[in-house]
Amino acid sequence: MNDIPSKAAAAEVAADAITIELIRGAMKSIQNEMEALIERTAMSAFIREKKDFYAGLFDERGRFLVGKSRPGSSDLIGPILEQYPAESMRAGDLYWYNDCYTARGAVSHSPDQVLVAPVFHQGELVAFSQAWAHFSDIGGMHAGSISPNCTEYYQEGLIIPPVRLATEGRVNEDLLRVFLRNSRFPDAVRGDMRALMAAVNLGDRRMQDLLARFGVPKMRAVFDALIERVRRVVRERFRDLVPNGTYRFVDTVDSDGHGSGPIKLRWKLDVTPDRIVLDARESDDQVRGPVNYLMSMTEPAMTFGSFLLADMKEHTLNAGAESLFDELHVREGSILQPRFPAPLGQRSITKMRNLGAYLGLLGVATGGKMPAAHTGYVIWNVRGRNSRGQPFLMSDGVAVGYGGRATADGHDAIYLVAQENYPAEFVEAAYPLRVRRYSINADTGGAGRWRGGCGVVREMEILCDEAMVSVRIEGDANPPWGVSGGRCAGSGRCVVNPGRPDERLLPPLSDGNILKRGDVVRIETGGGGGWGHPFDREPERVLADVLGGFVSRESAERDYGVVLSANGRAIDIEATAERRKDRPTTKLFHRHEYFETLE
């Protein structure tokens, strides 16, 4: 009988469980409110329209509690605590940095500004409120700061190591003036900084409200419980998914824009009954161009954790996922751990390929049950002066396609950061540009039983006397791979004056491209790989894709074995059956360096 808990004890446990969920939900609401404030008060389009920001909450030790759901570092407070010990902090303090190297990849290129406020309750440090956003221009070689031309970190804008921006509520305006003076668009930067400051202050106040309601001991107990719960669930789900064994995968970055490439990302995963070890030491060396990726040591585990928790709404990703891997090995001087002052501005090319490599590792381990690879989202800048002689910068992240999955098609037209593109009305009102076309880029989704997602076509006409265009497109030489018989995706390109006698193709990673009034620039983005044999896709789905503009009639017959009627609106059943008799052979991974070592 002594082993049976009393009703009172059981009620206390239930109350504790309810309290955990109340606090978890409240912190998630605080994060959402902070992000809504940033969105509504920021000045620059890349934050306000593209939503390239997020907010988060951490405990007093810097452990991540709630925040971003997309892949990245969870160690955003550590760089500040190394410079400013907790005992030196006071209520009303505010800390700031963007230095990727000092922060060891907590931010991975210099436009990302991090603000952090300590949260005190009755004089005791209990938590941190944090906000982060991509600022459109912080100086550097060209407007936009992260030009493909950069070959040194110093060229990518003003570097801010961890500093104290405010002391007990008093903002260091002199420090801010230095920052603003280095931007070509100081008014927008000032507004963006105020939006971040307001967000972290809001997080501070809301956390104090929670502390007043539940008390410090209860809140700390909940922090520990939430982190331990995620730690346990992530490891259990990984073990259920990945059998013991050694798995390898390689993905490839086309080029750095400065003569280096292809660049290999080589990963090995060792899973034994006792340990889970991830190793990237065989990856290629850092390069001269700005595709180096200073990967935070918490990023792989947080990314895998995000994937493993994706269908579990009862859990919120937090620092518990950091313990997924017992060991993580990287090599200093490699593409994933470059030495200072290697440039980092275009690191998303490598980061997106790295995410594909993670999927590839899981695909090898599960016999192809994971999604196919995706294209890295496209970034392009248009700079110049408008009709009033004022400088403008149109910095745009453009959507791409994601890989097909074992149960569904890949997503079409996805922009990783916030799934949004600039509306045509906004572009034409804000910049001397005319949007001529915005559509799905047909046939870029890899053919498969489940089709890869398609990229987009975005075409604009220059309405000012002269403009300079930079472009970042990747995956032409090494398009995203398909899985379990699925075909690889189509790639993207950037064309000036398509269809005209003066048509020209811009290098995929380039800057300084000069366009004149009346010139047209067309961005075509790539798609995701297919999953499963294309001939297993129902002809009715293929017809729907053709009618919807996702697949061409030619691709339907060539890749899917589906022959359409003369008017293209019906399936020729007999011709399709005959065409599908000649079934092409496939491999587990279509068009991929994986074959270099394993096939």
Side-chain angles (χ1 to χ4, degrees):
M1 293 293 293
N2 292 336
D3 294 331
I4 300 175
S6 67
K7 291 183 178 180
E12 183 178 352
V13 171
D16 286 342
I18 292 171
T19 300
I20 289 171
E21 292 307 307
L22 285 173
I23 293 175
R24 182 176 75 95
M27 290 194 297
K28 187 65 178 174
S29 295
I30 292 170
Q31 178 213 351
N32 291 338
E33 188 178 3
M34 293 167 68
E35 292 182 347
L37 178 60
I38 296 170
E39 178 182 351
R40 293 172 182 173
T41 60
M43 295 292 292
S44 66
F46 216 78
I47 300 176
R48 189 182 67 250
E49 299 289 337
K50 302 301 295 187
K51 316 275 191 298
D52 199 349
F53 62 83
Y54 75 84
L57 299 171
F58 298 74
D59 73 1
E60 79 279 7
R61 287 185 276 170
R63 295 185 301 174
F64 174 58
L65 299 173
V66 63
K68 61 187 173 184
S69 59
R70 63 181 187 269
S73 171
S74 58
D75 184 23
L76 289 160
I77 310 302
I80 292 170
L81 290 173
E82 289 178 4
Q83 185 67 32
Y84 299 93
E87 56 270 20
S88 70
M89 295 179 173
R90 300 291 182 269
D93 286 357
L94 184 63
Y95 301 89
W96 171 30
Y97 68 88
N98 77 341
D99 184 353
C100 306
Y101 284 95
T102 299
R104 301 180 302 279
V107 288
S108 50
H109 68 179
S110 54
D112 299 344
Q113 310 299 311
V114 177
L115 292 189
V116 174
V119 178
F120 285 84
H121 181 69
Q122 297 179 349
E124 185 176 4
L125 176 64
V126 184
F128 290 95
S129 169
Q130 170 269 324
W132 165 100
H134 177 113
F135 281 35
S136 57
D137 183 79
I138 59 166
M141 179 182 287
H142 290 297
S145 303
I146 49 173
S147 169
N149 285 350
C150 293
T151 58
E152 191 177 46
Y153 187 56
Y154 292 109
Q155 297 169 338
E156 296 176 336
L158 193 63
I159 303 169
I160 309 294
V163 296
R164 198 188 325 248
L165 180 58
T167 303
E168 298 185 53
R170 297 186 301 275
V171 176
N172 187 337
E173 297 292 345
D174 292 337
L175 187 58
L176 277 181
R177 282 195 301 115
V178 172
F179 186 57
L180 297 176
R181 181 59 175 153
N182 279 270
S183 175
R184 298 167 179 86
F185 304 94
D187 291 341
V189 168
R190 181 184 293 108
D192 294 343
M193 184 62 78
R194 287 175 175 172
L196 288 189
M197 292 168 70
V200 295
N201 288 335
L202 175 64
D204 179 7
R205 294 198 306 273
R206 293 291 185 263
M207 284 296 285
Q208 289 187 43
D209 292 341
L210 272 184
L211 287 160
R213 177 180 177 184
F214 291 102
V216 172
K218 179 69 73 174
M219 289 285 284
R220 283 179 171 156
V222 169
F223 296 163
D224 290 340
L226 289 172
I227 290 171
E228 173 57 25
R229 189 167 72 178
V230 166
R231 185 204 66 78
R232 175 180 51 80
V233 170
V234 165
R235 288 187 69 92
E236 287 176 355
R237 298 205 95 189
F238 185 90
R239 288 287 187 181
D240 290 341
L241 180 67
V242 179
N244 292 334
T246 298
Y247 311 101
R248 295 178 181 272
F249 203 80
V250 183
D251 221 326
T252 307
V253 175
D254 287 352
S255 168
D256 72 338
H258 293 264
S260 296
I263 307 158
K264 307 295 185 183
L265 309 174
R266 296 185 175 90
W267 282 97
K268 182 175 72 169
L269 175 64
D270 282 319
V271 182
T272 69
D274 300 321
R275 303 187 69 73
I276 305 172
V277 179
L278 194 60
D279 192 332
R281 285 176 291 188
E282 295 180 3
S283 295
D284 283 353
D285 291 343
Q286 68 185 67
V287 292
R288 184 168 184 263
V291 302
N292 301 291
Y293 175 34
L294 185 61
M295 186 185 71
S296 165
M297 295 298 283
T298 66
E299 184 268 348
M302 296 303 293
T303 302
F304 276 82
S306 179
F307 176 80
L308 293 166
L309 296 179
D311 63 342
M312 302 185 74
K313 301 302 181 185
E314 66 271 30
H315 297 293
T316 301
L317 183 68
N318 61 37
E322 294 176 8
S323 61
L324 173 60
F325 300 112
D326 298 290
E327 296 178 31
L328 172 63
H329 299 291
V330 294
R331 178 172 57 85
E332 185 180 357
S334 72
I335 187 68
L336 297 177
Q337 207 68 198
R339 297 186 180 94
F340 179 82
L344 309 172
Q346 308 295 323
R347 92 297 190 220
S348 286
I349 287 177
T350 305
K351 183 172 183 176
M352 297 303 290
R353 283 289 188 176
N354 207 43
L355 298 182
Y358 295 158
L359 284 178
L361 275 175
L362 292 177
V364 174
T366 61
K369 295 179 182 179
M370 294 298 108
H374 51 268
T375 293
Y377 60 92
V378 173
I379 294 287
W380 65 312
N381 294 329
V382 183
R383 318 178 188 97
R385 292 188 176 272
N386 59 24
S387 59
R388 298 183 299 277
Q390 299 169 327
F392 74 89
L393 169 65
M394 196 285 296
S395 183
D396 192 9
V398 188
V400 296
Y402 272 61
R405 297 158 285 172
T407 57
D409 291 344
H411 293 295
D412 303 295
I414 288 293
Y415 174 57
L416 174 74
V417 176
Q419 328 313 348
E420 298 186 17
N421 285 321
Y422 287 146
E425 297 82 359
F426 166 74
V427 171
E428 294 183 348
Y431 309 110
L433 302 168
R434 178 180 294 123
V435 179
R436 291 165 46 106
R437 182 181 174 190
Y438 184 28
S439 65
I440 288 292
N441 193 7
D443 292 341
T444 51
R449 165 64 182 87
W450 296 107
R451 174 179 60 78
C454 289
V456 302
V457 176
R458 202 157 169 85
E459 185 176 287
M460 298 188 189
E461 180 181 352
I462 306 298
L463 301 182
C464 58
D465 292 336
E466 182 176 283
M468 180 185 292
V469 174
S470 74
V471 61
R472 188 197 82 194
I473 298 178
E474 207 270 337
D476 181 40
N478 298 277
W481 35 268
V483 175
S484 296
R487 315 305 285 180
C488 64
S491 56
R493 62 177 189 160
C494 185
V495 185
V496 175
N497 297 328
R500 291 175 17 180
D502 57 346
E503 176 181 326
R504 70 183 190 273
L505 191 66
L506 297 185
L509 189 59
S510 63
D511 204 339
N513 303 293
I514 302 300
L515 276 65
K516 303 292 186 180
R517 184 185 296 273
D519 283 341
V520 173
V521 57
R522 177 192 291 171
I523 292 282
E524 302 173 5
T525 70
W531 195 99
H533 199 295
F535 279 22
D536 292 333
R537 188 169 178 83
E538 301 94 325
E540 294 77 15
R541 288 184 185 270
V542 178
L543 174 61
D545 283 339
V546 172
L547 296 177
F550 297 92
V551 174
S552 68
R553 179 172 182 162
E554 294 75 20
S555 175
E557 182 171 350
R558 179 186 67 245
D559 300 322
Y560 292 93
V562 176
V563 182
L564 303 183
S565 62
N567 65 7
R569 304 192 67 82
I571 300 165
D572 187 327
I573 297 175
E574 292 183 1
T576 296
E578 183 65 26
R579 173 73 178 85
R580 286 191 165 187
K581 285 182 180 178
D582 183 19
R583 184 184 177 95
T585 58
T586 60
K587 299 178 179 180
L588 178 60
F589 291 91
H590 184 255
R591 192 232 56 82
H592 196 261
E593 188 68 18
Y594 170 73
F595 301 116
E596 178 185 285
T597 55
L598 298 182
E599 293 192 4

